[in-house]
Amino acid sequence: MNPEEIEEKLHREQLQLASVNKRAFAYFLDELIVSAIFAIIVWDQLKSLGSPEAIMAYSQSLILYIMGVKVLYQSVFIYMYGATLGKLAVKIRVIESNYLGLPTVKEAILRAVVRVLSEMLFYLGFIVALFSPLKMTWQDRVASTLVVDV
């Protein structure tokens, strides 16, 4: 489906694409939430390390676990609610672009994995949304999703 057809469908359903500012703020909130969750999980170990250098080294050794928590958080919330806690706070949600419903499990997981990969690649997947007529990031393109206002 081309961008014009999608825009027409969104208009017909009275849906509006979420602004880049709202998406960025939701991203910031989600990062805070995931960081807090992960800090709670490893709190006892962090307390015993002492120096900032030891804490940094320990954090770097857990990078795969951190990515796993991010993928799990994003996948579960997007599949179940169409939005993470950050998106709920700013009143936006993720929808599947063909039927405008909630993403499937596969789409939610794929979207979360590509989102983490985009973060690892200097946020390039997020930057492309600035130049996309439908404000689509890499994860939106790969998973065939859109982010709309609630």
Side-chain angles (χ1 to χ4, degrees), residues 1-7 9 12 97-100 134 136:
M1 201 176 290
N2 67 39
E4 292 81 25
E5 291 172 329
I6 293 173
E7 286 177 351
K9 187 187 290 189
R12 194 172 48 243
S97 64
N98 291 321
Y99 303 106
L100 307 181
L134 296 174
M136 294 176 81

Side-chain angles (χ1 to χ4, degrees), residues 17-92:
L17 292 170
S19 70
V20 172
N21 288 343
K22 275 188 170 182
R23 291 183 72 170
F25 190 61
Y27 174 86
F28 172 74
L29 292 174
D30 286 330
E31 287 299 304
L32 285 177
I33 292 165
V34 170
S35 297
I37 291 168
F38 205 76
I40 290 167
I41 292 170
V42 298
W43 184 254
D44 288 337
Q45 183 65 31
L46 289 175
K47 283 192 323 187
S48 68
L49 292 173
S51 75
E53 294 81 16
I55 291 172
M56 189 67 104
Y58 178 66
S59 298
Q60 288 173 348
S61 73
L62 298 175
I63 194 71
L64 289 177
Y65 295 110
I66 294 168
M67 290 189 311
V69 169
K70 285 183 173 193
V71 168
L72 183 64
Y73 171 80
Q74 290 287 327
S75 300
V76 168
F77 276 94
I78 295 298
Y79 172 68
M80 292 181 67
Y81 307 107
T84 58
L85 296 175
K87 286 177 178 56
L88 288 170
V90 299
K91 299 182 184 331
I92 60 177

Side-chain angles (χ1 to χ4, degrees), residues 23-24 26-27 30-31 70-71 74-75 78 84 87 92 94-97 103-104 106-129 132 134-147:
R23 291 183 72 170
Y27 174 86
D30 286 330
E31 287 299 304
K70 285 183 173 193
V71 168
Q74 290 287 327
S75 300
I78 295 298
T84 58
K87 286 177 178 56
I92 60 177
V94 177
I95 59 172
E96 184 273 331
S97 64
T104 64
K106 178 184 169 188
E107 290 165 339
I109 293 170
L110 184 60
R111 188 177 194 285
V113 168
V114 173
R115 182 181 185 276
V116 170
L117 292 174
S118 176
E119 290 174 9
M120 293 169 49
L121 296 171
F122 309 104
Y123 299 93
L124 291 175
F126 295 94
I127 293 169
V128 299
S132 166
L134 296 174
K135 301 175 187 160
M136 294 176 81
T137 59
W138 284 351
Q139 60 264 27
D140 292 322
R141 292 172 193 272
V142 170
S144 299
T145 58
L146 299 166
V147 181

